[in-house]
Amino acid sequence: MKRQAVLVALAVGAAAACSSSSPTGVQPSDISGTWNATSLTFTDQANAANTFDVVAGGGSVTLTITSAGKYTVAETFMGVADGDSGTISVSGSNVTLTAANGNASSGTITHDNTTLTITLTTGTTQDFGAGEVPATLHGVFTK
């Protein structure tokens, strides 16, 4: 698994929680703070049998979200620490995320004050062993 793909996807996921242009959607103040992943699963869009959960694989992911619509993500996987940052726009529960490297992803976000769930369906890839392929990212985070 390429760590950069994980970081970009995580960064994108973290960003999903950061900004809103809709009064009925997620507001930055609703989700600002530090969130820890309880699962972060990539699923191959062409073959749903191919999945990988970063947390179940021994990794850890922490998202820090500000009320200004910015985020940072810190990830440790296989003993290597890394991170990323970026910004986002939210309309209702739909998100478009732009990581610091310019990669954009989109999907949905929900929260209930203690749990943040992010699902990204476009712009996310993962290497399941034969090179990068389009993947869906589903992350569950808690405070």
Side-chain angles (χ1 to χ4, degrees):
M1 171 175 82
K2 292 186 178 179
R3 188 167 7 99
Q4 183 174 354
V6 171
L7 290 174
V8 169
L10 294 176
V12 167
C18 297
S19 169
S20 178
S21 60
S22 168
T24 61
V26 174
Q27 300 294 315
S29 60
D30 296 337
I31 55 174
S32 63
T34 300
W35 298 87
N36 297 298
T38 58
S39 69
L40 191 81
T41 305
F42 291 88
T43 302
D44 184 336
Q45 291 181 354
N47 181 357
N50 287 336
T51 64
F52 178 74
D53 185 330
V54 174
V55 175
S60 64
V61 179
T62 301
L63 306 177
T64 302
I65 301 167
T66 72
S67 59
K70 305 232 182 239
Y71 73 89
T72 59
V73 61
E75 179 232 351
T76 301
F77 187 74
M78 298 179 72
V80 179
D82 212 338
D84 203 355
S85 61
T87 60
I88 186 170
S89 65
V90 176
S91 179
S93 62
N94 296 311
V95 299
T96 300
L97 312 135
T98 305
N101 66 3
N103 288 348
S105 295
S106 62
T108 60
I109 184 171
T110 61
H111 76 95
D112 69 2
N113 296 322
T114 59
T115 303
L116 178 68
T117 303
I118 300 164
T119 302
L120 301 174
T121 55
T122 61
T124 305
T125 63
Q126 177 63 28
D127 186 344
F128 294 96
E132 296 288 320
V133 297
T136 296
L137 169 70
H138 181 78
V140 178
F141 300 84
T142 59
K143 278 194 169 182

